[in-house]
Amino acid sequence: MRARWSRLAGLALVAALVGGLLQPPMAARPARAAGQIRWGYYVTYAGDSLTSLRAHVDSLTHVSPFYYTLGAGGAIDLKEEQPETTRFLRSRGVAIVPMIKNSATYDAFHALLDSPEERDRLVADLVRLVETRDYDGIHIDFEGVNAADRPLLTDFMHRLHAQLRPRGKLTTMAVAAKARDVTTGWAGAYDYAALAPALDLAVVMAYDFHWSSGPTPGPVAPVPWQRGVLAFAAAQFGADKTLLGLPFYGLDWNTTTGPPARSVRMADGPALLRKPGATGGYSTADEANWVRWTEDGEAHEAWYEDERSLAAKLALVADLGLAGFATWRLGHEDEGAWAAIRRLDTPATRVPPVPDTADRAYFAQTGHTVSGPFLRYWARYGGLEQFGLPRTEVFEERSPYDGRPYQVQYFERARFEYHPEHAGTEYEVLLGLLGRDFHPIDPPAPPLPDADYFPQTGHNLGGPFRDYWLAHGGLFVSGLPISEELIEISPDDGQPYRVQYFERARYELHPEHAGTPYEVLLGLLGNRLLRERGWIR
């Protein structure tokens, strides 16, 4: 047996199909990419919002439909539910996190959270709602809250999280923007630091710096202010929980009669600029557009967003390492907004569904397609059980081991590489050396009894790991062992496992599944690498 594996390994080395043993890594992994959560707020009361949702849902990862309102008596109003829209969202594979807003504010809202019993009753109602509708979580948008009720709001969120987390559901919240902790005013009720453990995601409403009832016209979301409030939020919540609230709207002030200002869509701005006598421009300090004109003897000043201004705001996501952004609201934007958003795309960005064919399969769970040689390899050598789901589309990547560019696709547990020089042979698709990406070749160990020894790397292979290796493609799929068996804490679930590294994989032993096909599982090295790049969560 040992001689047999030695000859096979030697042939693989001579053929240079496992070139990683011969050359050291040539390049570091790419820098962290921009946040990958793309969240859209959908409102049921506006037809343009539904039109936008249907047109652009495949550019989003999360959708918050405004289905629910918390009434003054504590009952949740369900009349805005749209089961058909929910079914549509579910068919597109996005996370559905409905929003609930409060109709009662300040002292009237205080009565709904005043006692632990009231808070528990509301928590129970929300948990039941999430479970019976099979939502992915809930989005709390409670505004107009007394600053003195900050401890009550914080306790409510902790109670809600304690019930949703064991059920695998998201607890998310919209919070008022602030650049430092304040305990008075509009933002005083939101104790960022105390809320942080109870939130999976926090949407910072980084808009309304100039607001509709304010006396002075100006940009809704000047970028320098946004940077300050987001930096504070990221420090309190953690950047990986923080979402930029991105405005798709602007405001038009009648400076003759005074506020309130009226909301303007992105497309309205250029139309206003075409009015007779209008003047306008772009504020590079604020990263926003402005226009002034006179109509019926009354002076107006409007500030609005376009592709350029939104791109400047979205750059903060990458600059601060945020989890992503949340747009308020779908239907106020034009195509320039989606052009700005597309600049954030990575190979791990979800793509729209396509029909399956004999040579192509779409995986709604991750939003990616596998086709051609990669699909044939995936199906032939173990499919979902062996490699997991696709996590990227096909893209070109330079190998850190031989310096050559390859067409690659990442899966949860593997990286596929296309080698056109071997087209038509079994070597047309090879697995990348993910095992070596995370574990250098250990020093040689002495041969062990009841194990196969590989002199090329100086390591043993025996027991359940050998059985799995032989049954799942052996050298061709996993490569040579580059370590002995060892105990390692999994970065995926924090549990200790007996593992062994190979050139292209990490094997994990799961004794709780002894005697089943799941006794040995491959580590999620593809996920781990993409997570380090910031492409997935």
Side-chain angles (χ1 to χ4, degrees):
M1 287 286 286
R2 292 176 186 166
R4 176 189 175 195
W5 301 128
S6 298
R7 285 195 300 272
L8 285 173
L11 288 172
L13 287 166
V14 172
L17 298 174
V18 189
L21 287 176
L22 304 179
Q23 303 177 59
M26 298 177 60
R29 298 187 185 120
R32 179 178 177 84
Q36 62 278 359
I37 292 182
R38 299 162 185 221
W39 181 304
Y41 286 104
Y42 160 64
V43 298
T44 58
Y45 55 77
D48 61 357
S49 195
L50 182 58
T51 300
S52 174
L53 177 66
R54 289 191 172 275
H56 300 292
V57 64
D58 295 318
S59 296
L60 301 170
T61 61
H62 295 63
V63 173
S64 273
F66 179 19
Y67 283 169
Y68 305 112
T69 301
L70 180 64
I76 298 174
D77 186 340
L78 309 178
K79 69 175 180 293
E80 293 299 323
E81 281 186 335
Q82 293 183 343
E84 182 179 348
T85 300
T86 300
R87 286 192 294 272
F88 167 71
L89 293 173
R90 192 159 284 131
S91 75
R92 308 306 281 198
V94 297
I96 305 171
V97 190
M99 178 170 68
I100 180 169
K101 293 178 67 72
N102 53 313
S103 61
T105 57
Y106 299 113
D107 289 347
F109 183 73
H110 168 86
L112 304 181
L113 299 182
D114 190 27
S115 69
E117 293 75 21
E118 287 291 335
R119 297 193 288 277
D120 282 339
R121 182 195 57 76
L122 179 55
V123 165
D125 289 347
L126 289 171
V127 170
R128 183 163 49 252
L129 188 67
V130 170
E131 286 201 301
T132 57
R133 271 67 165 181
D134 194 25
Y135 294 139
D136 295 286
I138 196 73
H139 185 58
I140 304 298
D141 183 15
F142 291 163
E143 302 179 44
V145 180
N146 290 328
D149 287 338
R150 149 184 188 131
L152 303 183
L153 182 61
T154 299
D155 181 68
F156 165 75
M157 294 305 301
H158 277 266
R159 290 169 186 261
L160 180 61
H161 185 253
Q163 292 300 315
L164 289 179
R165 183 175 184 180
R167 293 169 167 83
K169 305 295 185 179
L170 295 172
T171 305
T172 72
M173 188 181 195
V175 298
K178 50 185 175 180
R180 59 182 177 83
D181 192 31
V182 295
T183 57
T184 59
W186 183 257
Y190 305 95
D191 187 342
Y192 283 13
L195 286 168
L199 296 181
D200 297 303
L201 293 168
V203 176
V204 181
M205 294 182 284
Y207 35 75
D208 282 349
F209 180 78
H210 289 90
W211 65 102
S212 61
S213 59
T216 306
V220 167
V223 165
W225 171 75
Q226 283 189 315
R227 182 181 292 276
V229 300
L230 291 168
F232 176 67
Q236 302 299 306
F237 294 118
D240 62 341
K241 291 184 177 183
T242 302
L243 300 178
L244 159 69
L246 184 70
F248 278 169
Y249 69 94
L251 292 172
D252 163 21
W253 284 265
N254 185 320
T255 57
T256 300
T257 62
R262 70 178 185 91
S263 179
V264 294
R265 297 174 173 85
M266 289 178 64
D268 295 335
L272 295 174
L273 195 56
R274 291 192 293 269
K275 285 182 174 291
T279 60
Y282 187 86
S283 168
T284 55
D286 299 308
E287 300 287 358
N289 301 274
W290 60 271
V291 57
R292 301 186 184 101
W293 75 100
T294 299
E295 187 171 358
D296 297 329
E298 296 177 348
H300 287 259
E301 180 174 332
W303 288 76
Y304 63 95
E305 306 296 338
D306 66 0
E307 179 180 346
R308 178 183 178 184
S309 69
L310 291 182
K313 293 168 176 56
L314 287 167
L316 297 173
V317 174
D319 290 351
L320 299 174
L322 305 183
F325 64 86
T327 63
W328 180 264
R329 67 166 171 79
L330 296 176
H332 276 165
E333 81 284 5
D334 62 16
E335 285 305 311
W338 300 105
I341 288 169
R342 283 192 293 272
R343 299 184 194 183
L344 298 178
D345 285 352
T346 73
T349 302
R350 296 176 65 94
V351 301
V354 294
D356 289 349
T357 68
D359 202 39
R360 181 182 66 199
Y362 180 79
F363 294 82
Q365 300 95 322
T366 55
H368 291 292
T369 302
V370 187
S371 61
F374 285 169
L375 180 61
R376 292 192 291 272
Y377 185 98
W378 184 86
R380 179 179 180 183
Y381 290 104
L384 188 64
E385 179 184 325
Q386 176 81 2
F387 305 115
L389 294 163
R391 296 312 307 260
T392 70
E393 293 299 292
V394 176
F395 66 102
E396 186 175 279
E397 182 173 75
R398 191 171 296 276
S399 169
Y401 295 97
D402 64 14
R404 298 174 184 172
Y406 294 103
Q407 293 293 305
V408 305
Q409 184 167 19
Y410 280 81
F411 294 76
E412 291 178 299
R413 298 183 173 94
R415 178 180 66 230
F416 287 14
E417 296 177 353
Y418 181 66
H419 289 257
E421 69 275 20
H422 301 303
T425 76
E426 62 181 330
Y427 306 113
E428 184 176 17
V429 175
L430 295 172
L431 295 189
L433 301 171
L434 282 188
R436 291 201 57 200
D437 282 355
F438 289 99
H439 193 93
I441 301 175
D442 283 342
L448 297 175
D450 300 321
D452 293 323
Y453 187 74
F454 293 81
Q456 293 80 7
T457 56
H459 290 290
N460 297 276
L461 177 59
F465 287 162
R466 177 175 58 190
D467 296 340
Y468 186 93
W469 189 84
L470 290 171
H472 292 83
L475 180 71
F476 181 66
V477 172
S478 296
L480 297 162
I482 60 173
S483 78
E484 297 298 294
E485 294 183 13
L486 61 143
I487 302 297
E488 187 174 79
I489 301 297
S490 169
D492 300 304
D493 63 13
Q495 298 301 310
Y497 293 103
R498 180 171 295 278
V499 306
Q500 185 167 14
Y501 279 87
F502 297 79
E503 292 174 293
R504 301 183 178 98
R506 181 185 71 222
Y507 288 10
E508 295 177 353
L509 183 65
H510 290 257
E512 69 275 19
H513 300 307
T516 77
Y518 308 107
E519 184 176 7
V520 175
L521 295 174
L522 269 63
L524 299 169
L525 296 186
N527 278 358
R528 183 174 168 188
L529 190 146
L530 296 178
R531 194 170 289 120
E532 286 188 1
R533 293 181 180 180
W535 289 6
I536 67 171
R537 287 178 66 80

